[in-house]
Structure formats: C-alpha cells, structure tokens
Amino acid sequence: QYLTEGAVMIAFAIYLLDTGATTVNLYPDGEHGKRYDLKASLAEHGFRHIRSRGTTDYGGDYSRGEQIVTIIPKPGLGDVVAQMGQLTLVAECKGGVVNSRHAGHLSRLRRGLCEAVGLLMARPRSEERHVAVVPATTATHAIARRMIARTAAAGIEIALVDGHGNVTFVEPATEEV
C-alpha cells in the first residue's frame, strides 16, 4: 500500500479541520496532482469544488459547510498551511510505501522524514508551528521516536498518517523521576 504525498496532505488537512481549523491551504507541486486525485479525495470527505484557481483541474476552493480547503499548486510555501488559534501551522508532508519490509522502501521512508524535518528547519524563524508529516510505519515510528527530543527542541512536531488517514503525533518521552 502506497500513501502518496497528496494522500498524506489530504489526511493531515482533514485532521486539522476536524481539530479546529476552518481554513486549510494546500500547496502541492505538479507531481502531487498527477499521482493522486486531490479533487476526488476531497469529494470523498464531503467537500464541494466551489471555485477554480490556476490551470489545473484540482486547483481552487472547496467547501464543506463552514470549512474551506484551498489548493494552490505552488511549491515552496509548505505543503499544508492552516491558522490554528494565534499560530500559523506549516506542515511538510512526504509519502511512501506503508506495508513493505523492503530495505529500499524503508530507506525512502526514513529519508522522507529527514527531508521534511530539514525543510522545516530551513524556514525563516517565526511564530509558526511546524509539523513533519509522513506515513505511519514501524520504521518511521522508530526514527521519529529517536528524533523527537531534538526536533521538539527545534520547534518541530512529527505526525504519522496510517493507511486509513488517521493522524497521530509522536510525543517526546517523559522522564520518570
């Protein structure tokens, strides 16, 4: 089973909407829209395409009641951006194979997590909330647990998306006294 980067972006956007955001912006690059049907996925989650933006079939505004998802095919702004209270949340997402033990697939998943963290670290220091989002596998969970203390110190959270679109955050280990 392969979770494309587009699928991870949609799953995280839905999670944000379900936990308090009212507007989420997605900034996929061109490959995301070619490899994953963003428009159909939003329709499956009850969103209606209300306005087109740009030249792609999927670019535009989608609504579900008061909730709005805007897709603007423009890389470099973060994959998923939402206003959460007083902070802007910026997420970098990566996809990958979630049901394989093949060394190459596992290496790409680990590399994807490291790349997402690196992209967030390269952002200008600001009052943003940063989240690296990757598929949930045994390998990504293990490396995320090893990284979380250092990423948390840098202000970066790690979220994992399972094959059903469920999102869980990796928490830093608490030391017992």
Side-chain angles (χ1 to χ4, degrees), residues 10-11 25 38 42 53 58 70 77 98 113 133 146 158 167 173:
I10 294 289
N25 296 326
L38 298 165
L42 285 172
R53 290 180 186 237
Y58 56 85
T70 299
L77 300 174
V98 296
L113 176 54
V133 188
R146 287 195 306 269
I158 299 173
V167 175

Side-chain angles (χ1 to χ4, degrees), residues 20-87:
T22 55
T23 302
V24 176
N25 296 326
L26 304 180
Y27 298 103
D29 66 23
E31 284 301 307
H32 300 141
K34 290 178 188 173
R35 296 177 186 263
Y36 187 73
D37 192 342
L38 298 165
K39 191 174 191 176
S41 182
L42 285 172
E44 289 174 14
H45 288 282
F47 284 86
R48 189 173 49 85
H49 187 227
I50 57 173
R51 183 178 317 120
S52 293
R53 290 180 186 237
T55 59
T56 65
D57 177 51
Y58 56 85
D61 298 327
Y62 299 78
S63 72
R64 179 175 73 179
E66 298 296 314
Q67 297 176 328
I68 301 290
V69 173
T70 299
I71 299 178
I72 302 170
K74 186 174 183 180
L77 300 174
D79 292 325
V80 179
V81 179
Q83 194 66 34
M84 301 293 291
Q86 298 299 317
L87 290 177

Side-chain angles (χ1 to χ4, degrees), residues 14-176:
I14 298 300
Y15 169 82
L16 293 175
L17 291 165
D18 289 346
T19 57
T22 55
T23 302
V24 176
N25 296 326
L26 304 180
Y27 298 103
D29 66 23
E31 284 301 307
H32 300 141
K34 290 178 188 173
R35 296 177 186 263
Y36 187 73
D37 192 342
L38 298 165
K39 191 174 191 176
S41 182
L42 285 172
E44 289 174 14
H45 288 282
F47 284 86
R48 189 173 49 85
H49 187 227
I50 57 173
R51 183 178 317 120
S52 293
R53 290 180 186 237
T55 59
T56 65
D57 177 51
Y58 56 85
D61 298 327
Y62 299 78
S63 72
R64 179 175 73 179
E66 298 296 314
Q67 297 176 328
I68 301 290
V69 173
T70 299
I71 299 178
I72 302 170
K74 186 174 183 180
L77 300 174
D79 292 325
V80 179
V81 179
Q83 194 66 34
M84 301 293 291
Q86 298 299 317
L87 290 177
T88 300
L89 183 145
V90 178
E92 285 292 340
C93 303
K94 297 297 170 192
V97 176
V98 296
N99 63 344
S100 174
R101 293 187 195 191
H102 186 273
H105 293 300
L106 297 176
S107 176
R108 282 190 285 282
L109 286 166
R110 288 189 298 269
R111 189 171 51 240
L113 176 54
C114 292
E115 183 181 336
V117 168
L119 288 167
L120 291 166
M121 290 190 79
R123 290 185 66 83
R125 187 96 169 130
S126 68
E127 296 302 315
E128 296 175 337
R129 179 179 169 195
H130 295 155
V131 184
V133 188
V134 297
T137 68
T138 303
T140 55
H141 191 62
I143 194 168
R145 282 198 332 259
R146 287 195 306 269
M147 296 173 76
I148 194 64
R150 286 179 278 171
T151 60
I156 299 171
E157 300 170 71
I158 299 173
L160 305 175
V161 177
D162 71 15
H164 300 289
N166 300 311
V167 175
T168 57
F169 280 80
V170 177
E171 299 293 330
T174 54
E175 307 226 5
E176 293 185 20

